[in-house]
Amino acid sequence: MTNMTKIWRGVIPAITTPFDEAFEIDLVFFGEHCQWLIDNGCSGIVALGSLGEAATLSLGEKHDLLKTAVSAVGERAPIIAGVSALTTREAVEIARIAQGVGCQGLMVLPPYVYAGDWREMKAHVSAVIGATSLSVMLYNNPVAYTTDFLPDQVAELIAEHSNLHAIKESSADVRRVTALRAVAGDGFEILCGVDDMIVEAATIGASGWIAGLVNAFPRESVEVFQTRDWELYKWFLPLLRMDTVPKFVQLIKLVQQEVGMGNERVRPPRLTLVGAEREQALATIHAALAIRGMVASSVLSPSGFSREGPGTSHDR
């Protein structure tokens, strides 16, 4: 395994983008959040993903977020830039910005809005993959983006691009892991992109997890990935399922707020949860937090990780 492929292993948060009361990015807290995630055992960070509300960010904001993450983490862990755009030209520009600020990898998505045929989607992702020398992870999420990169198509891309080293597989079909392994070989890394399928995916060979609830529970996420412990997974599942619904951004940010690591603000057109929907989410969160200490003491392995989060509210 080369040094470039090593970055695609372990628990890698798809980090959220924090906003202040004016809905401007809170870069100070963003840097602190990056450090906290790495301090608690995460092996890298993906910024500008769907959970990071990338579609609401300007190119300048994307530059600043990536630069802040690289500066905050230094050489401790790789920073990976999500690359998503309406046009191929803009996607290529984002990839080059990422390389320019010191990112070590790219997570490449199909274009927003337009879901073309294989010839068009191959041309788009190939342009982005070839725009830099960075290691690339393809993002396959047919549920959200309609485009489905099938195993034979992924194998075709691997054969044509020496820097395509991984795939984030979010089809929610655990059989895809084995199908991809069969055509891609052992040197290609397969990462789970669905939070409530991580134990199943890891059991059959996923080498990493691009995770969502890790933004609030990094230690628990690392532990469940490494051990596949059923008691911990059972405790975690009601929270992990928040990653698999349309309002996953609002829900995960609400979880962060309740553990004191962030706030629930989202940029329009998203709005924060209200009414019964919010109360139900809070009930799930508080039920999990009520027994967190008991689960932690009986399941989590001894380490220097922060057990109860930062202990203070980070609402800027």
Side-chain angles (χ1 to χ4, degrees), residues 121-204:
M121 294 301 96
K122 180 184 178 183
H124 175 83
V125 297
S126 291
V128 181
I129 295 168
T132 76
S133 59
L134 297 178
S135 182
V136 172
M137 174 177 65
L138 184 66
Y139 182 13
N140 187 47
N141 189 340
V143 177
Y145 299 111
T146 305
T147 299
D148 190 3
F149 294 108
L150 301 173
D152 288 346
Q153 295 169 344
V154 175
E156 191 175 324
L157 289 169
I158 293 169
E160 296 178 13
H161 299 282
S162 60
N163 62 325
L164 177 58
H165 298 139
I167 186 168
K168 176 185 176 182
E169 179 51 55
S170 298
S171 64
D173 182 355
V174 73
R175 294 171 296 181
R176 279 293 181 92
V177 176
T178 50
L180 285 164
R181 178 67 63 228
V183 300
D186 292 335
F188 187 74
E189 305 293 353
I190 301 169
L191 293 88
C192 178
V194 182
D195 272 10
D196 67 348
M197 199 181 78
I198 183 54
V199 166
E200 295 87 336
T203 299
I204 61 168

Side-chain angles (χ1 to χ4, degrees), residues 193-273:
V194 182
D195 272 10
D196 67 348
M197 199 181 78
I198 183 54
V199 166
E200 295 87 336
T203 299
I204 61 168
S207 56
W209 178 17
I210 308 299
L213 270 297
V214 66
N215 280 280
F217 295 103
R219 185 183 178 195
E220 290 85 348
S221 297
V222 171
E223 193 75 14
V224 80
F225 176 74
Q226 291 178 345
T227 68
R228 304 168 204 168
D229 183 272
W230 168 242
E231 290 302 318
L232 180 59
Y233 193 38
K234 182 172 65 173
W235 167 82
F236 214 173
L237 272 172
L239 297 168
L240 295 176
R241 291 182 181 124
M242 291 181 174
D243 182 60
T244 65
V245 295
K247 293 185 180 179
F248 70 108
V249 177
Q250 293 95 319
L251 286 162
I252 290 173
K253 281 191 161 182
L254 182 60
V255 178
Q256 284 184 248
Q257 179 170 283
E258 294 306 295
V259 302
M261 183 48 81
N263 65 70
E264 63 180 318
R265 295 186 197 103
V266 288
R267 265 191 181 167
R270 286 185 177 90
L271 298 174
T272 53
L273 302 175

Side-chain angles (χ1 to χ4, degrees), residues 51-68:
L51 183 54
E53 298 172 77
T56 72
L57 306 177
S58 69
L59 276 176
E61 288 176 323
K62 291 179 180 181
H63 171 276
D64 292 347
L65 272 172
L66 295 175
K67 185 175 180 180
T68 299

